[in-house]
């Protein structure tokens, strides 16, 4: 059971992630007018935001310590923030600045924060075997750390997912595989790409415990992840969790989402953040003033991070030629 | 030059030219079908299949799961049974997850079978950078495919060629990799050169695979290029008119490579600049230099200049990416150097 302080912390973390994604969204579009151009503005390139998926990141990361690893997909911000990646440095990276996590070389889909053992990749499903290798290192060194591979439900149809599950199970490694099922892979609906309703069934093919978590509820997600992480830490091997969640916004910014139709309204109505706020307030765990105060505080932190990024220097052009080899 | 057909006055984007080519082939040949990620109602992330789903429906325009090895392999299977699949690999950078199907199967089956089995399929794929999509979504990689025998590799620079090359690709009995640079597609949401929208005849026509075009005639220097870089080269050639007479050769295909067109032009100008957005080393530009070295190095009056992507992964920040990308300024500097 989650105690009330933890609940308030869950709310704060989810609100912080949402404030971050909302601010990035606004800033991303702000200087792409009047003619929208993906390569223009202070934040150029693709932008995949995770509004709606905060419960997964927060419920998962509440079970992790700094030395545990995460490989995240192309939609990485919620996981990075929940894992403790420095918001300022991450923002500076997204702004392509020298003070960024990767000196402006990586960008939003390639965030590397070695101290938090956090990384992500823009190639679908390909972070999963990497997590297996991190778990290998942890177990060979005799630590009790775990590696978590996070990917979307679309990624679970990629060969790397299946190979990674098989290896992790065969070698009984401390890995937790998290599938964020937001129902969509760009414009391709889950039902048209995956023949089974419960993707966690695939765990049994590789002899590993697995579970589907419905409801996009941070507390239920926390509990399911707790069991999986504790099993991995105790040497019990990998777990597959498929977590039902929601993509509130477009696949990437600029996605008109014509393919979503009525479902988009349902998605908007199922926003987990106001729902959790309401739940805590009506249960008397949080007053409305406290909730508002939290939202103000996280917004201020986000503003500061964006200011830091904007006022940071750009990399020197000649830096393009360094870091090819170690 | 094969543009014998009057292009007419209708102007369309390269994306529209490609989807029109596929639609016309689909109307006349029931064996043609399309599959890939988001090719259905979305119309392709870069518009290559716009409108096809509405006309042909889900049995011939097939949205796939994110399983490139699976659906590219399935394309091969359908092709060996005589169908003509057009399979989209959304970004060429994703070839890493499915290359076995491509180079060990698609490209080799005809040869391995002693010519008894044909694989008439097209893989169309988006290439190129310039809009901060970073290391995993901005590469060109045509030389990587060209290095492996058995695949034709085409990369148009304009809508007219795109339509004609796509029709040729679909009708070809060999596998063809059709690489469209995102910047030549004429997308409403990406900065573009006006050359990405141009005259395209409504009727069907072909542009032969393996024939370069002299995109701009000249006599002082030969500039060989392909895909979007041709657009930059043409801008420079037009700007230098009256000072330097620049001959721009648009290769249009990397395999087969029109070596004759290159040799003929260099024999005339004696000076060569190669502009290539793919990585510099072990690639197209080196192959072009080798073509001249093999035939007659004395054709060259000056050392060759190569304006290529340097041998580094593609960085995200705009300042870093544009430091590395071939740009008009770099092309001008290279022309100045070889003509000095
Ligand atoms: C190997 C590979 N194929 C295709 C893509 C293009 N792509 C990027 S995101 C995406 C959809 C991913 O869907 P899902 O895994 O469900 O994650 P979500 O975007 O819903 O978070 C696709 C097809 C890619 N990046 N890598």
């Amino acid at each position: 059971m989650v105690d009330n302080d933890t609940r308030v912390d869950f709310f704060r973390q989810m609100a912080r992630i949402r404030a971050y994604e909302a601010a990035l969204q606004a800033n991303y579009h702000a200087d792409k007018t009047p003619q929208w151009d993906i390569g223009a503005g202070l934040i150029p390139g693709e932008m995949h935001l995770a509004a709606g998926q905060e419960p997964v990141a927060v419920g998962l990361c509440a079970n992790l310590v700094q030395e545990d690893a995460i490989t995240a997909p192309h939609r990485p911000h919620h996981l990075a923030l929940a894992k403790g990646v420095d918001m300022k440095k991450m923002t500076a990276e997204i702004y392509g600045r020298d003070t960024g996590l990767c000196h402006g070389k990586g960008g939003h889909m390639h965030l590397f924060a070695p101290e938090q053992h956090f990384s992500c990749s823009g190639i679908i499903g390909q972070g999963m075997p990497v997590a297996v290798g991190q778990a290998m290192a942890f177990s060979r060194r005799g630590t009790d750390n775990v590696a978590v591979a996070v990917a979307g439900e679309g990624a679970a149809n990629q060969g790397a997912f299946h190979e990674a599950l098989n290896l992790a199970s065969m070698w009984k490694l401390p890995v937790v595989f998290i599938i964020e099922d937001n129902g969509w892979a760009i414009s391709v609906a889950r039902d048209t790409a995956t023949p089974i309703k419960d993707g966690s069934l695939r765990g049994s093919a590789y002899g590993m415990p697995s579970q589907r978590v419905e409801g996009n509820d941070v507390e239920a997600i926390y509990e399911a992840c707790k069991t999986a992480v504790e099993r991995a830490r105790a040497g019990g091997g990998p777990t597959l969790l498929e977590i039902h969640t929601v993509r509130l916004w477009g696949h990437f910014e600029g996605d008109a989402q014509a393919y979503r139709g009525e479902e988009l309204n349902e998605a908007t109505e199922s926003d987990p953040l106001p729902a959790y706020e309401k739940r805590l307030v009506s249960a008397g765990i949080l007053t409305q003033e406290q909730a508002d105060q939290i939202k103000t505080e996280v917004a201020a932190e986000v503003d500061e991070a964006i200011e830091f990024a904007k006022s940071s220097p750009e990399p020197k052009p000649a830096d393009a030629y360094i870091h090819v080899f170690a | 030059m094969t543009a014998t057909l009057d292009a007419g006055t209708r102007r369309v984007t390269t994306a529209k030219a490609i989807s029109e080519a596929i639609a016309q082939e689909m109307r006349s040949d029931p064996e043609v079908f399309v599959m890939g990620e988001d090719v259905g109602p979305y119309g392709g992330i870069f518009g290559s299949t716009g409108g096809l789903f509405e006309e042909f429906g889900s049995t011939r325009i097939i949205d796939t799961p994110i399983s490139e090895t699976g659906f590219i392999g399935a394309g091969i299977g359908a092709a060996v049974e005589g169908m003509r699949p057009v399979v989209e690999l959304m970004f060429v950078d994703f070839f890493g997850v499915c290359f076995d199907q491509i180079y060990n199967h698609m490209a080799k089956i005809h040869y391995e079978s002693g010519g008894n089995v044909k694989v008439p399929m097209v893989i169309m794929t988006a290439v190129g950078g310039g809009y901060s999509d970073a290391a995993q979504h901005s590469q060109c990689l045509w030389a990587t495919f060209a290095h492996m025998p058995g695949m034709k590799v085409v990369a148009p620079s304009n809508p007219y060629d795109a339509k004609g090359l796509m029709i040729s690709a679909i009708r070809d009995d060999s596998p063809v990799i059709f690489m469209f640079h995102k910047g030549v597609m004429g997308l409403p949401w990406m900065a573009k050169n006006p050359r990405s929208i141009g005259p395209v005849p409504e009727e069907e026509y072909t542009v032969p695979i393996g024939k370069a075009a002299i995109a701009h005639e000249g006599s002082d220097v030969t500039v060989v290029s392909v895909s979007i870089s041709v657009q930059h080269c043409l801008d420079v050639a037009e700007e230098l008119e009256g000072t330097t007479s620049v001959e721009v050769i648009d290769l249009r295909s990397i395999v087969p490579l029109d070596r004759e067109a290159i040799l003929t032009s260099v024999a005339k100008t004696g000076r060569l600049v190669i502009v290539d957005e793919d990585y510099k080393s072990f690639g197209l530009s080196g192959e072009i230099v080798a073509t001249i070295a093999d035939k007659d190095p004395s054709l060259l009056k000056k050392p060759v200049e190569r304006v290529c992507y340097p041998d580094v992964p593609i960085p995200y920040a705009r300042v870093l990416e544009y430091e590395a990308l071939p740009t008009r300024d770099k092309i001008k500097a290279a022309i100045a150097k070889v003509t000095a």
Side-chain angles (χ1 to χ4, degrees):
Chain A
M1 271 294 289
V2 189
D3 63 27
N4 286 346
D5 286 349
T6 306
R7 292 192 166 105
V8 173
D9 183 56
F10 283 174
F11 173 68
R12 174 184 289 276
Q13 288 198 58
M14 292 199 294
R16 179 174 179 260
I17 294 168
R18 178 65 58 86
Y20 190 77
E21 298 295 64
L24 275 193
Q25 184 181 52
N27 279 280
Y28 179 80
H29 290 286
D31 48 10
K32 290 184 179 62
T33 54
Q35 174 60 44
W36 201 86
D37 171 2
I38 188 171
L42 291 179
I43 311 175
E46 285 186 70
M47 182 54 63
H48 311 85
L49 299 173
Q53 302 184 191
E54 298 89 350
V56 183
V58 171
L60 164 67
C61 292
N63 292 290
L64 302 180
V65 297
Q66 183 172 339
E67 293 74 23
D68 294 329
I70 292 192
T71 62
H74 58 291
R75 196 180 303 288
H77 303 164
H78 56 321
L79 295 159
L81 291 174
K83 184 67 174 64
V85 173
D86 185 286
M87 188 192 276
K88 284 186 175 167
K89 288 187 189 167
M90 169 173 156
T91 311
E93 184 59 31
I94 294 167
Y95 275 80
R97 303 303 165 120
D98 197 31
T99 52
L101 288 172
C102 317
H103 302 288
K105 285 217 164 84
H108 130 90
M109 280 190 280
H110 318 101
L111 301 168
F112 294 86
E115 279 171 31
Q116 283 74 31
H117 299 261
F118 179 89
S119 66
C120 55
S121 166
I123 310 295
I124 296 302
Q126 307 309 311
M128 309 197 91
V130 176
V132 172
Q134 289 176 295
M136 223 175 150
F138 297 152
S139 77
R140 293 174 86 91
R141 290 195 181 135
T143 74
D144 70 349
N145 290 121
V146 305
V148 184
V150 184
E153 89 294 336
N157 291 322
Q158 185 66 229
F161 165 83
H162 297 272
E163 295 185 21
L165 260 67
N166 191 55
L167 278 184
S169 182
M170 214 42 237
W171 295 339
K172 218 168 182 223
L173 292 171
V175 190
V176 178
F177 296 98
I178 305 271
I179 295 300
E180 293 182 283
D181 177 11
N182 62 17
W184 291 98
I186 312 186
S187 72
V188 178
R190 183 205 163 104
D191 297 354
T192 65
T194 300
I196 50 172
K197 292 251 173 287
D198 178 354
S200 73
L201 292 175
R202 289 170 168 177
S204 65
Y206 302 102
M208 77 173 70
S210 59
Q211 185 191 342
R212 180 167 164 95
V213 186
E214 295 292 351
N216 203 21
D217 168 25
V218 64
E219 294 180 21
I221 294 167
Y222 169 79
E223 298 293 351
C225 292
K226 187 168 194 286
T227 307
V229 170
E230 281 175 358
R231 178 183 295 126
R233 272 201 218 295
T239 303
L240 170 66
L241 297 178
E242 182 174 76
I243 302 178
H244 166 234
T245 185
V246 65
R247 196 188 86 198
L248 287 177
W249 300 342
H251 171 75
F252 33 51
E253 288 307 302
D255 176 4
Q257 303 197 80
Y259 53 86
R260 274 183 97 166
E262 196 33 44
E263 183 271 341
L264 185 55
N265 297 330
E266 288 165 30
T268 309
E269 277 161 30
S270 73
D271 186 338
L273 198 59
Y276 198 60
E277 177 177 340
K278 210 166 140 204
R279 191 159 121 201
L280 298 195
V281 170
S282 50
I285 296 166
L286 201 60
T287 66
Q288 190 58 54
E289 292 68 42
Q290 286 168 325
D292 293 341
Q293 175 65 23
I294 287 173
K295 286 189 272 184
T296 309
E297 285 167 16
V298 294
E301 185 195 358
V302 170
D303 285 347
E304 228 182 281
I306 288 180
E307 256 335 291
F308 171 76
K310 284 183 175 168
S311 59
S312 288
E314 293 192 320
K316 289 189 296 298
D319 291 351
Y321 305 104
I322 58 172
H323 302 134
V324 179
F325 297 108
Chain B
M1 294 278 289
T2 53
T4 46
L5 202 66
D6 177 14
T9 52
R10 187 185 64 137
R11 297 173 63 79
V12 303
T13 63
T14 300
K16 165 79 182 145
I18 291 171
S19 62
E20 183 172 285
I22 298 169
Q24 287 175 335
E25 287 302 288
M26 287 184 72
R27 281 177 212 135
S28 58
D29 184 351
E31 302 291 2
V32 180
F33 69 97
V34 178
M35 61 180 161
E37 292 151 16
D38 306 279
V39 298
Y42 197 99
I45 295 299
F46 303 102
S48 56
T49 58
L52 298 184
F53 183 83
E54 289 69 16
E55 180 176 350
F56 300 102
S58 60
T59 51
R60 292 183 76 193
I61 306 295
I62 304 165
D63 266 340
T64 61
I66 312 171
S67 308
E68 288 86 357
T69 287
F71 68 76
I72 288 177
I76 298 169
V80 301
E81 293 300 335
M83 299 196 78
R84 293 189 173 269
V86 177
V87 184
E88 180 159 283
L89 176 63
M90 189 189 293
F91 287 70
V92 74
D93 314 70
F94 309 158
F95 85 103
V97 304
C98 54
F99 211 41
D100 188 74
Q101 292 299 324
I102 295 173
Y103 91 102
N104 264 330
H105 294 87
M106 187 187 81
K108 291 180 182 165
I109 286 174
H110 184 67
Y111 188 85
E112 287 173 325
S113 70
N116 287 324
V117 181
K118 290 180 181 142
V119 190
M121 88 187 250
V122 179
I123 294 180
M124 64 173 168
T125 187
V127 304
Y131 62 102
S132 294
D133 217 355
Q136 299 177 337
H137 289 76
S138 302
Q139 301 166 99
C140 288
L141 300 181
W142 36 68
T144 304
F145 288 77
H147 186 65
M148 317 270 176
M151 301 172 258
K152 297 185 180 177
V153 181
V154 307
S157 69
N158 62 69
Y160 182 94
D161 286 348
K163 179 169 172 179
L165 284 169
M166 179 52 88
I167 292 174
S168 293
I170 294 171
R171 294 180 187 173
D172 204 299
D173 280 341
S174 297
V176 178
I177 309 289
F178 186 101
M179 303 179 118
F180 54 81
H181 195 293
K182 293 153 231 170
V184 310
M185 292 298 265
L187 299 168
W189 45 273
M190 193 179 283
K192 58 187 160 292
N193 191 304
R195 300 179 197 279
S196 297
I197 302 174
V200 174
E202 303 219 24
E203 62 267 42
E204 291 190 69
Y205 62 94
T206 57
V207 168
I209 296 174
K211 286 297 278 179
I214 297 172
H216 187 276
E217 275 191 61
S219 52
D220 293 337
V221 52
T222 300
V223 180
V224 178
S225 190
V226 70
S227 185
I228 196 167
S229 299
V230 171
Q231 300 188 343
H232 308 322
C233 294
L234 288 173
D235 291 345
V236 169
E238 287 174 10
E239 189 189 323
L240 296 182
E241 273 168 19
T243 358
T244 309
S245 173
V246 180
E247 179 139 298
V248 178
I249 298 197
D250 180 351
L251 290 172
R252 303 197 288 196
S253 67
I254 293 109
V255 178
L257 182 63
D258 191 348
R259 299 180 200 269
E260 269 317 304
I262 299 165
L263 288 165
T264 305
S265 181
V266 173
K268 176 168 74 172
T269 63
R271 294 174 162 90
L272 176 61
V273 173
I274 302 161
V275 185
D276 182 12
E277 197 184 303
D278 200 0
Y279 299 120
K280 181 173 185 178
S281 296
F282 316 104
L284 175 62
S285 60
E287 186 60 31
I288 292 169
V289 177
T291 299
I292 293 162
D294 285 348
K295 175 84 177 184
D296 182 2
S298 72
L299 291 179
L300 289 168
K301 297 180 193 146
K302 278 283 178 79
V304 175
E305 278 295 306
R306 293 197 268 167
V307 183
C308 302
Y309 207 93
D311 299 326
V312 304
I314 296 168
Y316 163 71
R318 192 183 293 122
V319 282
L320 299 178
E321 187 181 14
Y322 275 84
E323 165 67 21
L325 275 172
T327 57
R328 290 178 194 81
D329 285 345
K330 291 182 199 169
I331 297 167
K332 261 192 270 182
I335 290 173
K337 197 163 170 197
V338 297
T339 54

